[in-house]
Amino acid sequence: MSGVPNPPSGKGRPRGSGGFGWRAFFHHSATPVFVLGKGKRLRYANPAWERLAGVTLKESLGMVCSQRRHSTPLAAALAPTLEALAGHHDRARRPAPPGRNGPPWWDVTFAPLAPGAERPGDAADAKRGKETFGIVGFVTVVGEPVPAAAKKVPATVSALRDRRAAHFGLDLLAGETPAAARLVSQARFAASVIAPVWIVGEPGSGKETTARVIHHASANRDRAFVGIDCAGLQPYLVESLLFGHGGLVGSDRVGTLYLKEPAALPRDLQQRLADHFTDTPATRLICGSEKTAGDGVSGGALVPMFQTALSAFEVRIPPLRERLGDIPRLATRLLGRPLDPAALAVLREHSWPVNLRELASTLHEAARGAESGPVLREHLPHELRVKVGIARTHPPKSLNLDEILAAVEKKLIQLALKKANNHQTETAELLGVFRAKLWRRLDALGIPIPPQPPKPRKSESGD
């Protein structure tokens, strides 16, 4: 191959090389071999390397092998080390392209190619010993990937996984109302298919919880559930999490990816996501939003593929005000302790504009007041009892500013007198006023003038 670096012609050729075909030697080798020339460019690779890398030499010839930010995973895996660039043999372990975490890895051995000297004692020997005109690399695969079914999970991790899956069972969504029954049916069907799911619901209605229930009831339950708040993170962070080095979309350990409000992402990143999840990926995609995908597309916030391909199955979560009959069951499940019937009656009278999130916050606040006993009506927040008409507020009879200021001033003067032990001069100093003004304010506010403490008697020593 004309692109492969050759030793300098003439006197620089090693003795005895004759017509030895080193290309043919590498070509028939079962070990993946590649050669880098000047500028760390790929100049040769044998068929074993092509089979391992999944690309042909024609496609990758001239590729710069470095670990810069924009380098491909393959170029980063073949990048020579600093020791190799300095002319020394070296070895490095690199993640196998496309750079996923975990096995397999590549152990890459770098053998620099340096021109030899023509005669012993040549003055240029030292300089030539430091120069290289190429690097030969040998790749050894370490740690073949293990199928998920063959991986051994520690008993403690398995027990923790089982408890987590049991917490997010379908019964978590169950209730007595028709709306709850419809939600359970939709979640059960969504868990039985592999199509992307679009969950629609008001803020705090439990969209992510429903997504977790679907995940733990699906065939992907043995892999991880990952949720990303697209509106709460910068777009470049979301792109790095998804498509960066060891990104989530390329991991075989993620079973379900949940995107909260994907319409908040830039349209180019939305299109990249849609293209990826349209090609039957190993990871299940579930999106949650306050609006349907159709509304997002019509408003210009979503690319059309999110409606046509990524919202094939839609799950609607009813607001809590439409399932008030489920509050006793939901409250018991959230707290794990009984509630007094009078407290439940108060909870059923509220409209819950923030849905389950507001209910959970209210119950936990009441549980702190009840300590270890049952939650009573009196333990519920005062604002909630006022809203439902159980408790009433008593506004002040008057909001006259002069009366309020006079009451505050009277209280402040009384505190200053008590601190100064009724000494009027010290009281005036504490308040920052003259003693005459203090007398006038005492008289105006109806504060009795306290008796002065006795003055200390002068010494009769003859001064």
Side-chain angles (χ1 to χ4, degrees), residues 405-441:
L405 293 177
V408 172
E409 185 182 9
K410 182 176 181 179
K411 184 66 175 179
L412 184 61
I413 292 176
Q414 290 174 339
L415 290 175
L417 286 169
K418 183 177 180 181
K419 186 174 182 179
N421 194 23
N422 290 333
H423 197 289
Q424 297 179 24
T425 303
E426 294 182 7
T427 301
E429 292 177 355
L430 284 175
L431 296 174
V433 297
F434 294 108
R435 182 175 178 180
K437 183 175 181 179
L438 175 62
W439 286 348
R440 291 196 297 272
R441 297 311 299 162

PDB file of all heavy atoms in Angstrom, residues 405-441:
ATOM      1  N   LEU A 405     -48.879  52.037  65.787  1.00  0.00           N
ATOM      2  CA  LEU A 405     -47.575  52.598  66.150  1.00  0.00           C
ATOM      3  C   LEU A 405     -47.506  52.958  67.621  1.00  0.00           C
ATOM      4  O   LEU A 405     -46.470  52.764  68.271  1.00  0.00           O
ATOM      5  CB  LEU A 405     -47.289  53.833  65.288  1.00  0.00           C
ATOM      6  CG  LEU A 405     -47.071  53.584  63.791  1.00  0.00           C
ATOM      7  CD1 LEU A 405     -46.879  54.905  63.063  1.00  0.00           C
ATOM      8  CD2 LEU A 405     -45.874  52.670  63.566  1.00  0.00           C
ATOM      9  N   ALA A 406     -48.612  53.465  68.165  1.00  0.00           N
ATOM     10  CA  ALA A 406     -48.623  53.819  69.592  1.00  0.00           C
ATOM     11  C   ALA A 406     -48.466  52.567  70.453  1.00  0.00           C
ATOM     12  O   ALA A 406     -47.762  52.577  71.475  1.00  0.00           O
ATOM     13  CB  ALA A 406     -49.923  54.553  69.933  1.00  0.00           C
ATOM     14  N   ALA A 407     -49.118  51.457  70.051  1.00  0.00           N
ATOM     15  CA  ALA A 407     -48.999  50.222  70.819  1.00  0.00           C
ATOM     16  C   ALA A 407     -47.579  49.680  70.772  1.00  0.00           C
ATOM     17  O   ALA A 407     -47.041  49.198  71.779  1.00  0.00           O
ATOM     18  CB  ALA A 407     -49.988  49.196  70.274  1.00  0.00           C
ATOM     19  N   VAL A 408     -46.961  49.768  69.614  1.00  0.00           N
ATOM     20  CA  VAL A 408     -45.579  49.289  69.489  1.00  0.00           C
ATOM     21  C   VAL A 408     -44.645  50.155  70.323  1.00  0.00           C
ATOM     22  O   VAL A 408     -43.755  49.654  71.032  1.00  0.00           O
ATOM     23  CB  VAL A 408     -45.151  49.282  68.007  1.00  0.00           C
ATOM     24  CG1 VAL A 408     -43.667  48.978  67.873  1.00  0.00           C
ATOM     25  CG2 VAL A 408     -45.978  48.268  67.224  1.00  0.00           C
ATOM     26  N   GLU A 409     -44.833  51.489  70.289  1.00  0.00           N
ATOM     27  CA  GLU A 409     -43.981  52.390  71.054  1.00  0.00           C
ATOM     28  C   GLU A 409     -44.130  52.154  72.549  1.00  0.00           C
ATOM     29  O   GLU A 409     -43.151  52.151  73.297  1.00  0.00           O
ATOM     30  CB  GLU A 409     -44.322  53.836  70.696  1.00  0.00           C
ATOM     31  CG  GLU A 409     -43.399  54.855  71.360  1.00  0.00           C
ATOM     32  CD  GLU A 409     -43.788  56.284  71.034  1.00  0.00           C
ATOM     33  OE1 GLU A 409     -44.880  56.496  70.439  1.00  0.00           O
ATOM     34  OE2 GLU A 409     -42.997  57.196  71.362  1.00  0.00           O
ATOM     35  N   LYS A 410     -45.363  51.932  73.019  1.00  0.00           N
ATOM     36  CA  LYS A 410     -45.604  51.692  74.443  1.00  0.00           C
ATOM     37  C   LYS A 410     -44.906  50.422  74.901  1.00  0.00           C
ATOM     38  O   LYS A 410     -44.279  50.381  75.961  1.00  0.00           O
ATOM     39  CB  LYS A 410     -47.113  51.605  74.694  1.00  0.00           C
ATOM     40  CG  LYS A 410     -47.481  51.415  76.157  1.00  0.00           C
ATOM     41  CD  LYS A 410     -48.995  51.429  76.330  1.00  0.00           C
ATOM     42  CE  LYS A 410     -49.372  51.269  77.793  1.00  0.00           C
ATOM     43  NZ  LYS A 410     -50.846  51.293  77.990  1.00  0.00           N
ATOM     44  N   LYS A 411     -45.002  49.375  74.077  1.00  0.00           N
ATOM     45  CA  LYS A 411     -44.356  48.116  74.439  1.00  0.00           C
ATOM     46  C   LYS A 411     -42.845  48.273  74.476  1.00  0.00           C
ATOM     47  O   LYS A 411     -42.174  47.744  75.391  1.00  0.00           O
ATOM     48  CB  LYS A 411     -44.752  47.048  73.403  1.00  0.00           C
ATOM     49  CG  LYS A 411     -44.219  45.659  73.720  1.00  0.00           C
ATOM     50  CD  LYS A 411     -44.850  45.093  74.981  1.00  0.00           C
ATOM     51  CE  LYS A 411     -44.398  43.657  75.221  1.00  0.00           C
ATOM     52  NZ  LYS A 411     -44.985  43.090  76.461  1.00  0.00           N
ATOM     53  N   LEU A 412     -42.288  49.035  73.539  1.00  0.00           N
ATOM     54  CA  LEU A 412     -40.838  49.226  73.493  1.00  0.00           C
ATOM     55  C   LEU A 412     -40.345  50.012  74.702  1.00  0.00           C
ATOM     56  O   LEU A 412     -39.303  49.678  75.297  1.00  0.00           O
ATOM     57  CB  LEU A 412     -40.471  49.953  72.198  1.00  0.00           C
ATOM     58  CG  LEU A 412     -38.980  50.167  71.929  1.00  0.00           C
ATOM     59  CD1 LEU A 412     -38.257  48.827  71.831  1.00  0.00           C
ATOM     60  CD2 LEU A 412     -38.779  50.971  70.650  1.00  0.00           C
ATOM     61  N   ILE A 413     -41.071  51.061  75.100  1.00  0.00           N
ATOM     62  CA  ILE A 413     -40.659  51.848  76.263  1.00  0.00           C
ATOM     63  C   ILE A 413     -40.722  51.005  77.526  1.00  0.00           C
ATOM     64  O   ILE A 413     -39.844  51.075  78.397  1.00  0.00           O
ATOM     65  CB  ILE A 413     -41.531  53.113  76.384  1.00  0.00           C
ATOM     66  CG1 ILE A 413     -41.237  54.066  75.222  1.00  0.00           C
ATOM     67  CG2 ILE A 413     -41.282  53.815  77.715  1.00  0.00           C
ATOM     68  CD1 ILE A 413     -42.124  55.298  75.208  1.00  0.00           C
ATOM     69  N   GLN A 414     -41.758  50.184  77.682  1.00  0.00           N
ATOM     70  CA  GLN A 414     -41.876  49.330  78.868  1.00  0.00           C
ATOM     71  C   GLN A 414     -40.722  48.338  78.952  1.00  0.00           C
ATOM     72  O   GLN A 414     -40.188  48.068  80.037  1.00  0.00           O
ATOM     73  CB  GLN A 414     -43.222  48.596  78.838  1.00  0.00           C
ATOM     74  CG  GLN A 414     -44.421  49.506  79.084  1.00  0.00           C
ATOM     75  CD  GLN A 414     -45.745  48.782  78.916  1.00  0.00           C
ATOM     76  OE1 GLN A 414     -45.812  47.743  78.265  1.00  0.00           O
ATOM     77  NE2 GLN A 414     -46.807  49.356  79.479  1.00  0.00           N
ATOM     78  N   LEU A 415     -40.301  47.798  77.810  1.00  0.00           N
ATOM     79  CA  LEU A 415     -39.171  46.874  77.812  1.00  0.00           C
ATOM     80  C   LEU A 415     -37.878  47.592  78.194  1.00  0.00           C
ATOM     81  O   LEU A 415     -37.039  47.050  78.929  1.00  0.00           O
ATOM     82  CB  LEU A 415     -39.020  46.223  76.430  1.00  0.00           C
ATOM     83  CG  LEU A 415     -40.102  45.223  76.022  1.00  0.00           C
ATOM     84  CD1 LEU A 415     -39.895  44.759  74.581  1.00  0.00           C
ATOM     85  CD2 LEU A 415     -40.092  44.011  76.968  1.00  0.00           C
ATOM     86  N   ALA A 416     -37.700  48.824  77.712  1.00  0.00           N
ATOM     87  CA  ALA A 416     -36.497  49.581  78.039  1.00  0.00           C
ATOM     88  C   ALA A 416     -36.458  49.935  79.526  1.00  0.00           C
ATOM     89  O   ALA A 416     -35.392  49.879  80.165  1.00  0.00           O
ATOM     90  CB  ALA A 416     -36.423  50.849  77.184  1.00  0.00           C
ATOM     91  N   LEU A 417     -37.603  50.317  80.106  1.00  0.00           N
ATOM     92  CA  LEU A 417     -37.649  50.613  81.541  1.00  0.00           C
ATOM     93  C   LEU A 417     -37.297  49.381  82.369  1.00  0.00           C
ATOM     94  O   LEU A 417     -36.570  49.481  83.376  1.00  0.00           O
ATOM     95  CB  LEU A 417     -39.052  51.120  81.920  1.00  0.00           C
ATOM     96  CG  LEU A 417     -39.404  52.551  81.497  1.00  0.00           C
ATOM     97  CD1 LEU A 417     -40.892  52.807  81.707  1.00  0.00           C
ATOM     98  CD2 LEU A 417     -38.569  53.550  82.286  1.00  0.00           C
ATOM     99  N   LYS A 418     -37.802  48.226  81.949  1.00  0.00           N
ATOM    100  CA  LYS A 418     -37.506  47.005  82.698  1.00  0.00           C
ATOM    101  C   LYS A 418     -36.031  46.656  82.623  1.00  0.00           C
ATOM    102  O   LYS A 418     -35.422  46.240  83.614  1.00  0.00           O
ATOM    103  CB  LYS A 418     -38.349  45.860  82.131  1.00  0.00           C
ATOM    104  CG  LYS A 418     -38.178  44.554  82.894  1.00  0.00           C
ATOM    105  CD  LYS A 418     -39.087  43.487  82.334  1.00  0.00           C
ATOM    106  CE  LYS A 418     -38.923  42.171  83.108  1.00  0.00           C
ATOM    107  NZ  LYS A 418     -39.802  41.102  82.546  1.00  0.00           N
ATOM    108  N   LYS A 419     -35.427  46.889  81.451  1.00  0.00           N
ATOM    109  CA  LYS A 419     -34.012  46.570  81.291  1.00  0.00           C
ATOM    110  C   LYS A 419     -33.145  47.542  82.084  1.00  0.00           C
ATOM    111  O   LYS A 419     -32.088  47.155  82.608  1.00  0.00           O
ATOM    112  CB  LYS A 419     -33.642  46.629  79.805  1.00  0.00           C
ATOM    113  CG  LYS A 419     -32.234  46.162  79.522  1.00  0.00           C
ATOM    114  CD  LYS A 419     -31.961  46.097  78.027  1.00  0.00           C
ATOM    115  CE  LYS A 419     -30.551  45.579  77.762  1.00  0.00           C
ATOM    116  NZ  LYS A 419     -30.255  45.475  76.312  1.00  0.00           N
ATOM    117  N   ALA A 420     -33.589  48.821  82.208  1.00  0.00           N
ATOM    118  CA  ALA A 420     -32.808  49.829  82.944  1.00  0.00           C
ATOM    119  C   ALA A 420     -33.175  49.887  84.421  1.00  0.00           C
ATOM    120  O   ALA A 420     -32.754  50.829  85.124  1.00  0.00           O
ATOM    121  CB  ALA A 420     -32.991  51.199  82.311  1.00  0.00           C
ATOM    122  N   ASN A 421     -33.971  48.944  84.895  1.00  0.00           N
ATOM    123  CA  ASN A 421     -34.378  48.899  86.307  1.00  0.00           C
ATOM    124  C   ASN A 421     -35.070  50.197  86.719  1.00  0.00           C
ATOM    125  O   ASN A 421     -34.809  50.771  87.781  1.00  0.00           O
ATOM    126  CB  ASN A 421     -33.167  48.620  87.204  1.00  0.00           C
ATOM    127  CG  ASN A 421     -33.559  48.228  88.618  1.00  0.00           C
ATOM    128  OD1 ASN A 421     -34.686  47.750  88.840  1.00  0.00           O
ATOM    129  ND2 ASN A 421     -32.661  48.431  89.572  1.00  0.00           N
ATOM    130  N   ASN A 422     -35.968  50.698  85.801  1.00  0.00           N
ATOM    131  CA  ASN A 422     -36.769  51.910  86.014  1.00  0.00           C
ATOM    132  C   ASN A 422     -35.926  53.181  86.139  1.00  0.00           C
ATOM    133  O   ASN A 422     -36.428  54.211  86.608  1.00  0.00           O
ATOM    134  CB  ASN A 422     -37.668  51.773  87.260  1.00  0.00           C
ATOM    135  CG  ASN A 422     -38.791  50.778  87.029  1.00  0.00           C
ATOM    136  OD1 ASN A 422     -39.225  50.565  85.887  1.00  0.00           O
ATOM    137  ND2 ASN A 422     -39.265  50.167  88.107  1.00  0.00           N
ATOM    138  N   HIS A 423     -34.689  53.146  85.746  1.00  0.00           N
ATOM    139  CA  HIS A 423     -33.855  54.357  85.788  1.00  0.00           C
ATOM    140  C   HIS A 423     -34.131  55.140  84.508  1.00  0.00           C
ATOM    141  O   HIS A 423     -33.832  54.694  83.399  1.00  0.00           O
ATOM    142  CB  HIS A 423     -32.378  53.973  85.882  1.00  0.00           C
ATOM    143  CG  HIS A 423     -31.506  55.080  86.325  1.00  0.00           C
ATOM    144  ND1 HIS A 423     -31.205  56.174  85.537  1.00  0.00           N
ATOM    145  CD2 HIS A 423     -30.855  55.288  87.519  1.00  0.00           C
ATOM    146  CE1 HIS A 423     -30.420  56.983  86.188  1.00  0.00           C
ATOM    147  NE2 HIS A 423     -30.175  56.484  87.404  1.00  0.00           N
ATOM    148  N   GLN A 424     -34.741  56.335  84.661  1.00  0.00           N
ATOM    149  CA  GLN A 424     -35.212  57.082  83.502  1.00  0.00           C
ATOM    150  C   GLN A 424     -34.068  57.569  82.625  1.00  0.00           C
ATOM    151  O   GLN A 424     -34.178  57.587  81.399  1.00  0.00           O
ATOM    152  CB  GLN A 424     -36.066  58.262  83.970  1.00  0.00           C
ATOM    153  CG  GLN A 424     -37.334  57.820  84.700  1.00  0.00           C
ATOM    154  CD  GLN A 424     -38.166  58.990  85.174  1.00  0.00           C
ATOM    155  OE1 GLN A 424     -38.064  60.088  84.622  1.00  0.00           O
ATOM    156  NE2 GLN A 424     -38.997  58.767  86.201  1.00  0.00           N
ATOM    157  N   THR A 425     -32.960  57.989  83.207  1.00  0.00           N
ATOM    158  CA  THR A 425     -31.838  58.466  82.401  1.00  0.00           C
ATOM    159  C   THR A 425     -31.267  57.345  81.534  1.00  0.00           C
ATOM    160  O   THR A 425     -31.011  57.520  80.331  1.00  0.00           O
ATOM    161  CB  THR A 425     -30.754  59.054  83.300  1.00  0.00           C
ATOM    162  OG1 THR A 425     -31.322  60.115  84.093  1.00  0.00           O
ATOM    163  CG2 THR A 425     -29.592  59.597  82.486  1.00  0.00           C
ATOM    164  N   GLU A 426     -31.072  56.170  82.154  1.00  0.00           N
ATOM    165  CA  GLU A 426     -30.558  55.025  81.390  1.00  0.00           C
ATOM    166  C   GLU A 426     -31.569  54.564  80.344  1.00  0.00           C
ATOM    167  O   GLU A 426     -31.194  54.152  79.240  1.00  0.00           O
ATOM    168  CB  GLU A 426     -30.214  53.880  82.342  1.00  0.00           C
ATOM    169  CG  GLU A 426     -29.050  54.196  83.270  1.00  0.00           C
ATOM    170  CD  GLU A 426     -28.710  53.011  84.157  1.00  0.00           C
ATOM    171  OE1 GLU A 426     -29.302  51.926  83.943  1.00  0.00           O
ATOM    172  OE2 GLU A 426     -27.852  53.146  85.050  1.00  0.00           O
ATOM    173  N   THR A 427     -32.868  54.664  80.661  1.00  0.00           N
ATOM    174  CA  THR A 427     -33.897  54.300  79.695  1.00  0.00           C
ATOM    175  C   THR A 427     -33.858  55.219  78.488  1.00  0.00           C
ATOM    176  O   THR A 427     -33.965  54.781  77.336  1.00  0.00           O
ATOM    177  CB  THR A 427     -35.282  54.357  80.356  1.00  0.00           C
ATOM    178  OG1 THR A 427     -35.310  53.458  81.463  1.00  0.00           O
ATOM    179  CG2 THR A 427     -36.372  53.965  79.374  1.00  0.00           C
ATOM    180  N   ALA A 428     -33.691  56.529  78.737  1.00  0.00           N
ATOM    181  CA  ALA A 428     -33.608  57.482  77.635  1.00  0.00           C
ATOM    182  C   ALA A 428     -32.388  57.211  76.766  1.00  0.00           C
ATOM    183  O   ALA A 428     -32.437  57.318  75.535  1.00  0.00           O
ATOM    184  CB  ALA A 428     -33.582  58.910  78.175  1.00  0.00           C
ATOM    185  N   GLU A 429     -31.271  56.834  77.406  1.00  0.00           N
ATOM    186  CA  GLU A 429     -30.070  56.518  76.629  1.00  0.00           C
ATOM    187  C   GLU A 429     -30.281  55.264  75.780  1.00  0.00           C
ATOM    188  O   GLU A 429     -29.818  55.193  74.636  1.00  0.00           O
ATOM    189  CB  GLU A 429     -28.886  56.330  77.573  1.00  0.00           C
ATOM    190  CG  GLU A 429     -28.451  57.629  78.262  1.00  0.00           C
ATOM    191  CD  GLU A 429     -27.326  57.389  79.251  1.00  0.00           C
ATOM    192  OE1 GLU A 429     -26.966  56.203  79.461  1.00  0.00           O
ATOM    193  OE2 GLU A 429     -26.815  58.380  79.820  1.00  0.00           O
ATOM    194  N   LEU A 430     -30.957  54.245  76.320  1.00  0.00           N
ATOM    195  CA  LEU A 430     -31.236  53.026  75.553  1.00  0.00           C
ATOM    196  C   LEU A 430     -32.103  53.326  74.334  1.00  0.00           C
ATOM    197  O   LEU A 430     -31.883  52.770  73.255  1.00  0.00           O
ATOM    198  CB  LEU A 430     -31.924  51.985  76.441  1.00  0.00           C
ATOM    199  CG  LEU A 430     -31.050  51.245  77.443  1.00  0.00           C
ATOM    200  CD1 LEU A 430     -31.919  50.339  78.320  1.00  0.00           C
ATOM    201  CD2 LEU A 430     -29.996  50.408  76.720  1.00  0.00           C
ATOM    202  N   LEU A 431     -33.053  54.220  74.510  1.00  0.00           N
ATOM    203  CA  LEU A 431     -33.971  54.552  73.418  1.00  0.00           C
ATOM    204  C   LEU A 431     -33.415  55.609  72.482  1.00  0.00           C
ATOM    205  O   LEU A 431     -34.019  55.875  71.430  1.00  0.00           O
ATOM    206  CB  LEU A 431     -35.316  55.026  73.993  1.00  0.00           C
ATOM    207  CG  LEU A 431     -36.092  53.973  74.804  1.00  0.00           C
ATOM    208  CD1 LEU A 431     -37.330  54.606  75.433  1.00  0.00           C
ATOM    209  CD2 LEU A 431     -36.493  52.809  73.912  1.00  0.00           C
ATOM    210  N   GLY A 432     -32.305  56.248  72.873  1.00  0.00           N
ATOM    211  CA  GLY A 432     -31.706  57.251  72.020  1.00  0.00           C
ATOM    212  C   GLY A 432     -32.464  58.566  71.998  1.00  0.00           C
ATOM    213  O   GLY A 432     -32.470  59.247  70.956  1.00  0.00           O
ATOM    214  N   VAL A 433     -33.112  58.939  73.096  1.00  0.00           N
ATOM    215  CA  VAL A 433     -33.856  60.195  73.150  1.00  0.00           C
ATOM    216  C   VAL A 433     -33.418  60.951  74.403  1.00  0.00           C
ATOM    217  O   VAL A 433     -32.770  60.412  75.299  1.00  0.00           O
ATOM    218  CB  VAL A 433     -35.387  59.945  73.193  1.00  0.00           C
ATOM    219  CG1 VAL A 433     -35.845  59.256  71.917  1.00  0.00           C
ATOM    220  CG2 VAL A 433     -35.778  59.106  74.422  1.00  0.00           C
ATOM    221  N   PHE A 434     -33.829  62.263  74.465  1.00  0.00           N
ATOM    222  CA  PHE A 434     -33.568  63.039  75.669  1.00  0.00           C
ATOM    223  C   PHE A 434     -34.537  62.626  76.772  1.00  0.00           C
ATOM    224  O   PHE A 434     -35.645  62.117  76.505  1.00  0.00           O
ATOM    225  CB  PHE A 434     -33.709  64.536  75.383  1.00  0.00           C
ATOM    226  CG  PHE A 434     -32.650  65.052  74.437  1.00  0.00           C
ATOM    227  CD1 PHE A 434     -32.977  65.407  73.134  1.00  0.00           C
ATOM    228  CD2 PHE A 434     -31.335  65.190  74.868  1.00  0.00           C
ATOM    229  CE1 PHE A 434     -32.012  65.897  72.272  1.00  0.00           C
ATOM    230  CE2 PHE A 434     -30.367  65.685  74.007  1.00  0.00           C
ATOM    231  CZ  PHE A 434     -30.696  66.028  72.708  1.00  0.00           C
ATOM    232  N   ARG A 435     -34.129  62.895  78.000  1.00  0.00           N
ATOM    233  CA  ARG A 435     -34.962  62.489  79.137  1.00  0.00           C
ATOM    234  C   ARG A 435     -36.278  63.247  79.150  1.00  0.00           C
ATOM    235  O   ARG A 435     -37.329  62.688  79.482  1.00  0.00           O
ATOM    236  CB  ARG A 435     -34.186  62.751  80.434  1.00  0.00           C
ATOM    237  CG  ARG A 435     -34.937  62.310  81.672  1.00  0.00           C
ATOM    238  CD  ARG A 435     -34.070  62.471  82.896  1.00  0.00           C
ATOM    239  NE  ARG A 435     -34.784  62.108  84.096  1.00  0.00           N
ATOM    240  CZ  ARG A 435     -34.289  62.147  85.335  1.00  0.00           C
ATOM    241  NH1 ARG A 435     -33.016  62.547  85.496  1.00  0.00           N
ATOM    242  NH2 ARG A 435     -35.002  61.802  86.365  1.00  0.00           N
ATOM    243  N   ALA A 436     -36.259  64.505  78.707  1.00  0.00           N
ATOM    244  CA  ALA A 436     -37.501  65.293  78.683  1.00  0.00           C
ATOM    245  C   ALA A 436     -38.497  64.683  77.693  1.00  0.00           C
ATOM    246  O   ALA A 436     -39.702  64.627  77.956  1.00  0.00           O
ATOM    247  CB  ALA A 436     -37.204  66.746  78.322  1.00  0.00           C
ATOM    248  N   LYS A 437     -37.992  64.204  76.537  1.00  0.00           N
ATOM    249  CA  LYS A 437     -38.902  63.592  75.554  1.00  0.00           C
ATOM    250  C   LYS A 437     -39.457  62.284  76.096  1.00  0.00           C
ATOM    251  O   LYS A 437     -40.635  61.958  75.866  1.00  0.00           O
ATOM    252  CB  LYS A 437     -38.156  63.354  74.247  1.00  0.00           C
ATOM    253  CG  LYS A 437     -39.043  62.784  73.154  1.00  0.00           C
ATOM    254  CD  LYS A 437     -38.318  62.679  71.824  1.00  0.00           C
ATOM    255  CE  LYS A 437     -39.263  62.131  70.756  1.00  0.00           C
ATOM    256  NZ  LYS A 437     -38.589  62.034  69.429  1.00  0.00           N
ATOM    257  N   LEU A 438     -38.643  61.557  76.859  1.00  0.00           N
ATOM    258  CA  LEU A 438     -39.139  60.311  77.452  1.00  0.00           C
ATOM    259  C   LEU A 438     -40.285  60.600  78.411  1.00  0.00           C
ATOM    260  O   LEU A 438     -41.286  59.885  78.426  1.00  0.00           O
ATOM    261  CB  LEU A 438     -37.999  59.593  78.166  1.00  0.00           C
ATOM    262  CG  LEU A 438     -38.390  58.323  78.931  1.00  0.00           C
ATOM    263  CD1 LEU A 438     -38.958  57.264  77.987  1.00  0.00           C
ATOM    264  CD2 LEU A 438     -37.194  57.761  79.708  1.00  0.00           C
ATOM    265  N   TRP A 439     -40.166  61.710  79.232  1.00  0.00           N
ATOM    266  CA  TRP A 439     -41.254  62.057  80.147  1.00  0.00           C
ATOM    267  C   TRP A 439     -42.532  62.363  79.368  1.00  0.00           C
ATOM    268  O   TRP A 439     -43.621  61.947  79.762  1.00  0.00           O
ATOM    269  CB  TRP A 439     -40.857  63.274  80.989  1.00  0.00           C
ATOM    270  CG  TRP A 439     -39.843  62.954  82.063  1.00  0.00           C
ATOM    271  CD1 TRP A 439     -39.454  61.732  82.486  1.00  0.00           C
ATOM    272  CD2 TRP A 439     -39.111  63.912  82.838  1.00  0.00           C
ATOM    273  NE1 TRP A 439     -38.528  61.833  83.466  1.00  0.00           N
ATOM    274  CE2 TRP A 439     -38.292  63.170  83.724  1.00  0.00           C
ATOM    275  CE3 TRP A 439     -39.064  65.309  82.880  1.00  0.00           C
ATOM    276  CZ2 TRP A 439     -37.431  63.786  84.635  1.00  0.00           C
ATOM    277  CZ3 TRP A 439     -38.220  65.908  83.802  1.00  0.00           C
ATOM    278  CH2 TRP A 439     -37.399  65.149  84.658  1.00  0.00           C
ATOM    279  N   ARG A 440     -42.396  63.106  78.257  1.00  0.00           N
ATOM    280  CA  ARG A 440     -43.591  63.462  77.492  1.00  0.00           C
ATOM    281  C   ARG A 440     -44.251  62.217  76.908  1.00  0.00           C
ATOM    282  O   ARG A 440     -45.483  62.104  76.887  1.00  0.00           O
ATOM    283  CB  ARG A 440     -43.210  64.441  76.369  1.00  0.00           C
ATOM    284  CG  ARG A 440     -42.787  65.813  76.860  1.00  0.00           C
ATOM    285  CD  ARG A 440     -42.803  66.831  75.719  1.00  0.00           C
ATOM    286  NE  ARG A 440     -41.843  66.484  74.670  1.00  0.00           N
ATOM    287  CZ  ARG A 440     -40.569  66.882  74.679  1.00  0.00           C
ATOM    288  NH1 ARG A 440     -40.109  67.649  75.675  1.00  0.00           N
ATOM    289  NH2 ARG A 440     -39.771  66.550  73.695  1.00  0.00           N
ATOM    290  N   ARG A 441     -43.459  61.241  76.420  1.00  0.00           N
ATOM    291  CA  ARG A 441     -44.039  60.037  75.830  1.00  0.00           C
ATOM    292  C   ARG A 441     -44.660  59.146  76.903  1.00  0.00           C
ATOM    293  O   ARG A 441     -45.699  58.507  76.676  1.00  0.00           O
ATOM    294  CB  ARG A 441     -42.970  59.237  75.062  1.00  0.00           C
ATOM    295  CG  ARG A 441     -42.370  59.979  73.887  1.00  0.00           C
ATOM    296  CD  ARG A 441     -43.467  60.595  73.002  1.00  0.00           C
ATOM    297  NE  ARG A 441     -44.358  59.579  72.447  1.00  0.00           N
ATOM    298  CZ  ARG A 441     -45.555  59.811  71.941  1.00  0.00           C
ATOM    299  NH1 ARG A 441     -46.036  61.071  71.963  1.00  0.00           N
ATOM    300  NH2 ARG A 441     -46.309  58.837  71.451  1.00  0.00           N
TER     301      ARG A 441
END
